[in-house]
Amino acid sequence: MMWSFFSRDSSKDFPYDIGEPVAGFDNYSIWTLHKAKRKATQEEVSVFVYDIRSGSDTKCELAKAALKRLKTLRHPSILQYLDSLETDKMLYVATEAVEPLGTFFTKLATDNVQKGLYLAWGIFQITRALSFLNNDGNLRHNNVSAWSVFVNASGEWKLGSLEYVAAADGNPMPPVKIPVTLEVYDAPEKNDQSKLKAATKCSVDMWGLGCLVWEAFNGVLRQRSNLKDIEHIPKSLQSLYCELVGASPSNRPNPADIITRCRKPGGFFKNDLVDTLLFLEEIQIKDKAEKNRFFSGLTTHLENFPDNVCKHKILPQLITAYEYGDAGSAVLAPMFKLGKLLDEVEYQKRIVPCVVKLFASTDRVTRSRLLQQLELFIAHLQPPVVNEQIFPQVAHGFLDTNATIREQTVKSIIHLAPKLNYNNLNVEVLRHFARLQARDDQGGIRTNTTVCLGKIAPHLHPQVRQRVLVSAFIRAMRDPFPPARVAGVLALAATQQYFLLNEVANRVLPSLCSLTVDPEKTVREPAFKTIRGFLGKLEKVSEDPSLRETMEADVHTATPSIGNAAATWAGWAVTAVTAKFYRSQSDSSRPRPPLTGRNLSKPASLEQPSSSSLSTTTSSVTSMTSLEHESNDTSASASDYGNNDWDNENWGEMDTSQDPSSPLAATSNNGQLVTANALNEVRDGWDNEEWGSLEEDPCEEEEQAEQEQQQQQMARQSISSTTSSSQQQQRPLLPHQHQQQLQQHELNDLIEPLAKLNSHITTSPSRQQQATLRPKELANLSSSATTSPTTPGALTNCNNISPPSAHLNNSMHNANWNSDSWADGEFEPFDDPGSGNSKLDEARRKREEKKLQRQRELEARRAQRATGPLKLGAKKL
């Protein structure tokens, strides 16, 4: 029992599992280097092993001296010691995971730019370590070469092999090295005793540094004579290199002087990688302004940095700087770009918690940069995280008073849609989209809302999609902002596989036809092309009715088939607007990178790119990126749009506010376009007060309608009673025939202003019959009829009303202007003068009847007054 205790292998107590040795290192060292892992955490480490039994006493002393120095010397550029174990047989030394530089040369990138930056950083680190030893520690290394330098996972060069470290003021004679392969790195004064008098405390190490520089650009040194070949050494380093390998020890520079010289502008150590890594090492003492400048310019340099340096050195520093420092939102762009280098497990562990925390930030700059960079990390976010932690924070952006945040929030839905659940996508998102498309004062945001809706269409629930898309796109086609109308047309083309053929014939095509006379050519061209496409689809089904089922295959499917006939046939829709967003001129002048949304699952025929130029927006080229305007207006509260109220937003109508940047000019009373100088004053007639308020309460309208009906009934009774009484009592004063002529004359006086107004709108007799008053004039008429029944001229102010332009009248005017509902039953997609069965015509006729009824009521009251006794000042009939 006791014997088994003393004979037990003590190496089993070493907390590391030792793996395979690194080939080639033992030829240049008394140690063998092994890959290993910590038993408790499986963390990768390196273990240097020395076999005491097979070595000589000299080697054993060297190994123990190296262990002693490694324990006591601590510096960022010196190999990091972790643990050690000494037995009677073996000596184990555990360090950070590294590999010899001599074997690492074969793994260096062949790219000259990246390799040059990295080698400068490595040589700088070794020069810094030697400066620490020579100047601060008053020590000499005596063994500098590619085999005494080790590279860790972060790409950092660490100085090791401390077997020959000695005091700088001791014997200047270089030591005898074991094994003999290291003799190629001996300084020339070792064989020339006369030169030892000129030796300095750093001359031997500077010779070794010169050998290391040569090996960095040429590979492992085989013969000392090869040091004369300087062809591959950079010109900015050649003069220094010649000093390092000079024959005279006194002419070799001090390592501190080398750093000073090479860090000057144009020096070998003055490059982006060295500057970046040095800044990160000193980031704790930098002020906030310096950090913002640094992180803002970092992203452009990352392409030239080695991946291992970015992943293990720069990225951890960025995460730490944001979590524990005041780096601000500027750190987000480089952090997300480098996050692509992590595997999925590391990303979930290191980046995702940081992202969730960032989305809760109230800082607008942070939120803006997060939304811009969303496509870089959305693939790594799990659906539960998106729906429960991220989307609720993103949704606040729909109501932000800042137009830039609202727009970027809209565009972010393209990336979030595949991961959103039913309620968030089909209820919450569409509720916000309906409000933005109808009420947002920025034309670019209304346009991009339509674009985004077309992009996320494949992810919508089939029933919701069928109910929403056509109404939304038709509303966009009535927007006074031309790019918004283009977006509506081409969005219809891009999502054509989701429409029933009956819907195409009865709603889509009639609405598109109204745009064939649009004032903007960029609107007319895609309208004609889209009409031809839909007509071709209907014609094919007419020739072969069996194709109907195939054409409508995707209407009720949640995951549309890319290869079905409808998708492959619709070649006319390949340049749909949903490939791009709208970009304003102010946005194009900015240097910030644009947000290019990835194409979601849609028919292969729609995957073609389109132009990004707004001026060339046609059926085949349309640009829709971003409109960066600041808005000081307060958005509607989220409480105004409950979970069950989003369907009350009418895609068929547009908001009365018009984007001031809209190129659509206002129109005069004669229907002709005026110059663009009047744009800011008239604002296209889009927000003129004659259109009435969008915020009228529907309940008030119902109450008003009920009151009007009651008044009409009372008027009928009074008319019948007064007519009979007047015929009996007033027959001596006024003949019945003359009274009818007077009533007809008064009626003509009342209708004449309406006829004049209608003559400005259209010359068609049928349109004259449909002339109506807008809601505000009807309200004025009602009040005048109530308060001044004896004033026949109360309606003459109708002549002062400026009619809308012909375009707005034909394609945008809607009887249900104050109703914001996406429901198909409440939405009329087009305004056809010849359609007597349309609900719009019915609504107009009802209003005409109400108007005439009020006139009859006025006449009845006058007649009733005439039956009583004459008053002083009353006109005798």
Side-chain angles (χ1 to χ4, degrees):
M1 182 70 179
M2 292 295 293
W3 177 254
S4 63
F5 174 79
F6 287 107
S7 64
R8 185 167 60 91
D9 187 3
S10 58
S11 64
K12 293 182 180 180
D13 296 332
F14 195 51
Y16 300 94
D17 291 325
I18 301 176
E20 296 295 325
V22 177
F25 177 72
D26 54 348
N27 294 331
Y28 294 87
S29 176
I30 62 175
W31 302 87
T32 57
L33 178 60
H34 294 257
K35 296 180 180 180
K37 291 185 177 181
R38 191 187 295 269
K39 293 180 180 179
T41 62
Q42 295 300 306
E43 176 189 1
E44 292 187 356
V45 297
S46 291
V47 174
F48 292 83
V49 180
Y50 175 72
D51 190 349
I52 298 177
R53 295 170 300 178
S54 61
S56 62
D57 293 341
T58 303
K59 291 182 178 181
C60 186
E61 291 299 325
L62 290 173
K64 292 181 179 180
L67 175 58
K68 179 182 177 180
R69 294 293 187 184
L70 194 61
K71 285 182 178 181
T72 56
L73 293 175
R74 295 286 181 169
H75 188 269
S77 297
I78 292 181
L79 188 62
Q80 182 182 2
Y81 167 85
L82 297 178
D83 198 358
S84 63
L85 174 66
E86 182 179 356
T87 68
D88 57 346
K89 299 179 181 179
M90 306 292 287
L91 179 60
Y92 302 96
V93 179
T95 68
E96 59 181 317
V98 292
E99 67 174 306
L101 181 61
T103 61
F104 183 77
F105 283 143
T106 58
K107 300 180 181 180
L108 285 177
T110 57
D111 178 71
N112 291 331
V113 176
Q114 187 178 106
K115 182 178 180 180
L117 296 177
Y118 178 69
L119 291 179
W121 169 242
I123 296 172
F124 170 83
Q125 290 182 294
I126 300 304
T127 306
R128 185 171 59 175
L130 292 175
S131 178
F132 167 74
L133 289 177
N134 298 157
N135 299 316
D136 300 331
N138 200 27
L139 299 171
R140 290 198 304 265
H141 188 273
N142 288 322
N143 188 28
V144 179
S145 69
W147 300 101
S148 63
V149 175
F150 301 89
V151 184
N152 64 9
S154 301
E156 297 179 295
W157 290 14
K158 301 296 187 78
L159 185 61
S161 298
L162 306 179
E163 296 87 4
Y164 304 101
V165 173
D169 53 2
N171 185 5
M173 174 63 70
V176 177
K177 300 176 185 178
I178 303 174
V180 295
T181 51
L182 294 176
E183 293 181 354
V184 70
Y185 300 106
D186 286 340
E189 55 264 28
K190 182 178 181 179
N191 300 325
D192 189 352
Q193 302 293 331
S194 61
K195 296 180 179 179
L196 289 177
K197 296 179 181 180
T200 63
K201 63 179 180 180
C202 57
S203 57
V204 174
D205 289 343
M206 292 303 97
W207 172 271
L209 181 62
C211 296
L212 178 63
V213 170
W214 189 93
E215 289 183 306
F217 296 97
N218 296 277
V220 177
L221 180 64
R222 304 298 181 183
Q223 298 178 0
R224 188 181 302 173
S225 59
N226 293 338
L227 295 174
K228 298 179 181 180
D229 184 8
I230 63 173
E231 179 182 357
H232 297 95
I233 297 177
K235 292 183 179 180
S236 60
L237 193 59
Q238 287 181 359
S239 61
L240 176 62
Y241 168 75
C242 292
E243 295 179 20
L244 293 175
V245 295
S248 174
S250 60
N251 292 334
R252 296 170 195 161
N254 188 287
D257 296 335
I258 295 176
I259 294 175
T260 302
R261 289 168 53 185
C262 293
R263 283 291 295 161
K264 292 181 179 179
F268 183 65
F269 295 156
K270 188 65 176 177
N271 62 46
D272 294 332
L273 180 60
V274 177
D275 292 344
T276 298
L277 297 177
L278 289 180
F279 187 94
L280 290 174
E281 289 181 356
E282 303 171 352
I283 193 171
Q284 300 301 331
I285 62 175
K286 303 292 185 180
D287 59 33
K288 188 173 183 179
E290 290 178 311
K291 292 178 183 178
N292 286 334
R293 285 196 301 268
F294 169 75
F295 289 122
S296 298
L298 178 60
T299 307
T300 58
H301 301 308
L302 294 177
E303 297 293 340
N304 294 326
F305 295 173
D307 288 347
N308 58 338
V309 176
C310 292
K311 179 179 178 180
H312 299 288
K313 178 69 174 178
I314 299 178
L315 182 58
Q317 293 277 10
L318 296 180
I319 296 176
T320 302
Y322 183 81
E323 291 181 344
Y324 304 106
D326 56 350
S329 60
V331 74
L332 299 181
M335 184 174 70
F336 290 140
K337 186 171 185 177
L338 295 183
K340 296 185 294 184
L341 301 175
L342 301 177
D343 57 34
E344 190 61 30
V345 176
E346 289 180 307
Y347 201 100
Q348 295 294 327
K349 180 180 179 181
R350 302 171 66 178
I351 303 295
V352 171
C354 192
V355 168
V356 174
K357 179 181 177 182
L358 289 172
F359 270 106
S361 173
T362 57
D363 179 47
R364 274 201 176 104
V365 178
T366 300
R367 295 177 65 85
S368 177
R369 296 194 177 186
L370 270 176
L371 295 174
Q372 291 174 8
Q373 304 293 329
L374 184 62
E375 62 178 335
L376 299 179
F377 57 85
I378 186 62
H380 301 279
L381 300 180
Q382 300 300 320
V385 175
V386 173
N387 286 282
E388 298 171 8
Q389 301 182 58
I390 292 181
F391 178 76
Q393 303 296 337
V394 172
H396 293 311
F398 290 117
L399 302 175
D400 201 289
T401 57
N402 186 289
T404 301
I405 299 297
R406 296 200 306 274
E407 181 187 41
Q408 291 174 347
T409 302
V410 169
K411 293 191 288 188
S412 69
I413 299 301
I414 294 175
H415 306 291
L416 293 173
K419 297 179 181 289
L420 292 179
N421 56 30
Y422 176 89
N423 183 72
N424 286 340
L425 179 61
N426 295 277
V427 179
E428 294 298 323
V429 169
L430 295 186
R431 173 169 62 90
H432 289 294
F433 274 17
R435 180 180 53 80
L436 289 174
Q437 194 193 44
R439 302 187 179 186
D440 199 278
D441 60 347
Q442 299 292 332
I445 295 180
R446 300 196 302 271
T447 301
N448 288 341
T449 301
T450 304
V451 173
C452 185
L453 182 63
K455 277 182 164 289
I456 68 174
H459 305 285
L460 296 175
H461 190 274
Q463 294 180 358
V464 175
R465 183 172 60 208
Q466 186 178 3
R467 178 160 47 95
V468 166
L469 288 188
V470 175
S471 298
F473 298 153
I474 291 178
R475 160 182 279 185
M477 291 191 299
R478 298 179 175 182
D479 196 302
F481 192 47
R485 300 199 294 275
V486 175
V489 173
L490 297 182
L492 282 173
T495 57
Q496 49 81 29
Q497 69 270 29
Y498 302 126
F499 307 143
L500 294 172
L501 296 183
N502 288 337
E503 198 170 32
V504 171
N506 297 326
R507 297 186 62 191
V508 175
L509 283 176
S511 300
L512 286 171
C513 289
S514 64
L515 295 183
T516 58
V517 292
D518 192 277
E520 299 291 333
K521 184 178 180 181
T522 55
V523 178
R524 296 194 301 271
E525 289 184 351
F528 279 116
K529 184 174 182 179
T530 306
I531 289 172
R532 287 193 294 268
F534 276 117
L535 287 176
K537 186 174 184 177
L538 295 175
E539 186 177 0
K540 285 183 176 293
V541 175
S542 175
E543 295 174 356
D544 186 1
S546 62
L547 291 177
R548 185 186 189 94
E549 182 178 356
T550 305
M551 293 292 185
E552 297 179 348
D554 289 341
V555 174
H556 301 292
T557 58
T559 54
S561 173
I562 299 298
N564 63 41
T568 55
W569 164 83
W572 51 273
V574 296
T575 55
V577 71
T578 52
K580 295 288 182 182
F581 280 102
Y582 168 72
R583 164 176 283 179
S584 66
Q585 294 180 356
S586 62
D587 185 45
S588 61
S589 63
R590 301 186 182 186
R592 75 170 181 85
L595 177 66
T596 55
R598 68 184 67 174
N599 290 330
L600 301 177
S601 55
K602 61 182 180 180
S605 60
L606 305 184
E607 297 291 344
Q608 301 295 330
S610 62
S611 173
S612 61
S613 173
L614 176 61
S615 61
T616 57
T617 303
T618 63
S619 61
S620 60
V621 283
T622 298
S623 173
M624 299 257 161
T625 319
S626 68
L627 183 66
E628 305 280 349
H629 287 306
E630 295 287 335
S631 175
N632 295 325
D633 299 335
T634 302
S635 300
S637 172
S639 61
D640 297 337
Y641 302 90
N643 293 334
N644 298 324
D645 295 336
W646 65 270
D647 198 28
N648 293 329
E649 291 289 311
N650 190 350
W651 280 100
E653 299 156 3
M654 289 301 303
D655 186 22
T656 55
S657 59
Q658 163 62 8
D659 190 301
S661 63
S662 172
L664 189 62
T667 55
S668 60
N669 287 340
N670 59 4
Q672 299 297 325
L673 294 176
V674 299
T675 60
N677 295 332
L679 181 62
N680 293 330
E681 298 179 0
V682 182
R683 292 174 63 87
D684 302 340
W686 193 247
D687 55 355
N688 291 344
E689 63 177 356
E690 295 95 82
W691 290 96
S693 173
L694 281 176
E695 303 298 331
E696 293 179 1
D697 190 356
C699 297
E700 295 178 359
E701 295 179 357
E702 295 177 0
E703 294 176 359
Q704 182 179 359
E706 293 176 358
Q707 294 177 1
E708 291 175 356
Q709 292 178 0
Q710 294 176 359
Q711 293 175 358
Q712 291 174 7
Q713 294 176 359
M714 294 174 60
R716 294 191 187 98
Q717 296 175 0
S718 61
I719 289 175
S720 59
S721 61
T722 55
T723 302
S724 59
S725 61
S726 61
Q727 289 177 357
Q728 296 175 2
Q729 298 178 9
Q730 296 184 359
R731 196 162 290 174
L733 297 177
L734 182 66
H736 178 66
Q737 182 177 3
H738 185 258
Q739 181 181 0
Q740 290 181 345
Q741 295 176 358
L742 179 60
Q743 291 177 353
Q744 183 64 31
H745 178 69
E746 292 177 348
L747 180 61
N748 292 337
D749 290 342
L750 293 171
I751 298 177
E752 183 178 2
L754 297 177
K756 292 181 179 180
L757 173 63
N758 190 43
S759 64
H760 289 288
I761 299 176
T762 178
T763 57
S764 173
S766 61
R767 296 294 280 180
Q768 293 177 2
Q769 295 173 4
Q770 297 172 1
T772 61
L773 291 178
R774 298 190 180 96
K776 188 160 186 175
E777 281 72 42
L778 292 178
N780 294 335
L781 175 61
S782 177
S783 61
S784 62
T786 306
T787 58
S788 303
T790 60
T791 308
L795 297 178
T796 58
N797 60 355
C798 291
N799 290 329
N800 298 327
I801 300 175
S802 300
S805 66
H807 170 65
L808 293 177
N809 185 58
N810 291 337
S811 62
M812 298 178 200
H813 188 64
N814 196 320
N816 298 325
W817 192 264
N818 295 325
S819 170
D820 288 337
S821 174
W822 280 359
D824 294 342
E826 300 179 9
F827 176 82
E828 187 63 31
F830 65 96
D831 182 8
D832 187 0
S835 176
N837 298 328
S838 67
K839 296 181 180 179
L840 184 60
D841 293 336
E842 293 177 3
R844 288 177 175 173
R845 286 195 295 271
K846 289 179 180 180
R847 286 188 292 186
E848 181 69 19
E849 292 175 0
K850 291 178 181 179
K851 173 178 65 64
L852 296 177
Q853 188 64 36
R854 292 191 186 97
Q855 295 170 359
R856 296 190 191 101
E857 180 183 357
L858 183 60
E859 296 171 6
R861 291 181 180 179
R862 290 174 181 169
Q864 186 176 7
R865 284 177 176 273
T867 60
L870 294 177
K871 295 181 180 180
L872 181 63
K875 182 179 180 180
K876 184 177 180 180
L877 299 179

